[in-house]
Amino acid sequence: MKHLLFLFATAALATLAPAAEPLNTVCPISGKPASAAITSNYSKTVAVCCDRCVSQFNATPKAYLSNILNANGVQCPLSKKKADPSKKVTYSRQVAFADVGSKATFDAAPDKHIKEVRQ
């Protein structure tokens, strides 16, 4: 019975969305302290091949950021198998900036700058 409950709990947790990353304290463009008043929301959705890859991604989304940025829509960015358009994952986070100019630079090419976001 305990084993069955453990499996059920594990399956239920795997379907939950990952916790949001904390707001960064350093501007990814200028390197200056970021302001929580100047933010942008980044989001990128890609298809993966299976529920296992969905669970892997949801467990540690930031670990797969490079894979997500390089996704081609045909191949799963995690397993490299054929992607299933019905199985999707989304990397998203809110990003803070030091000034509106930095925000504008980020917003013009977010995929180029998202990897520079640090805590």
Side-chain angles (χ1 to χ4, degrees), residues 71-93:
N72 62 17
V74 176
Q75 187 179 47
C76 173
L78 281 72
S79 72
K80 307 304 181 207
K81 295 178 183 175
K82 183 179 178 187
D84 177 350
S86 70
K87 307 284 183 187
K88 296 183 179 183
V89 297
T90 301
Y91 178 85
S92 60
R93 80 168 293 169

Side-chain angles (χ1 to χ4, degrees), residues 3 5 26-27 30 37 40-41 50 58 65 81 91 96 108:
H3 182 69
L5 287 173
V26 176
C27 176
S30 70
S40 186
N41 292 311
C50 62
N58 285 339
L65 178 57
K81 295 178 183 175
Y91 178 85

Side-chain angles (χ1 to χ4, degrees), residues 4-5 7 10 12 31 38 51 53-55 57 61 70 76 80 98 101 113 116:
L4 185 59
L5 287 173
L7 290 176
T10 303
I38 306 170
D51 290 332
C53 285
V54 170
S55 294
F57 174 83
N70 295 322
C76 173
K80 307 304 181 207
H113 299 291
E116 303 304 319

Side-chain angles (χ1 to χ4, degrees), residues 9-83:
T10 303
L13 287 174
T15 62
L16 296 175
E21 292 183 58
L23 195 60
N24 55 297
T25 57
V26 176
C27 176
I29 306 300
S30 70
K32 296 176 182 175
S35 167
I38 306 170
T39 63
S40 186
N41 292 311
Y42 176 85
S43 181
K44 182 158 185 162
T45 301
V46 298
V48 294
C49 65
C50 62
D51 290 332
R52 181 173 182 243
C53 285
V54 170
S55 294
Q56 274 184 298
F57 174 83
N58 285 339
T60 55
K62 192 164 186 169
Y64 298 104
L65 178 57
S66 290
N67 299 47
I68 298 302
L69 292 173
N70 295 322
N72 62 17
V74 176
Q75 187 179 47
C76 173
L78 281 72
S79 72
K80 307 304 181 207
K81 295 178 183 175
K82 183 179 178 187

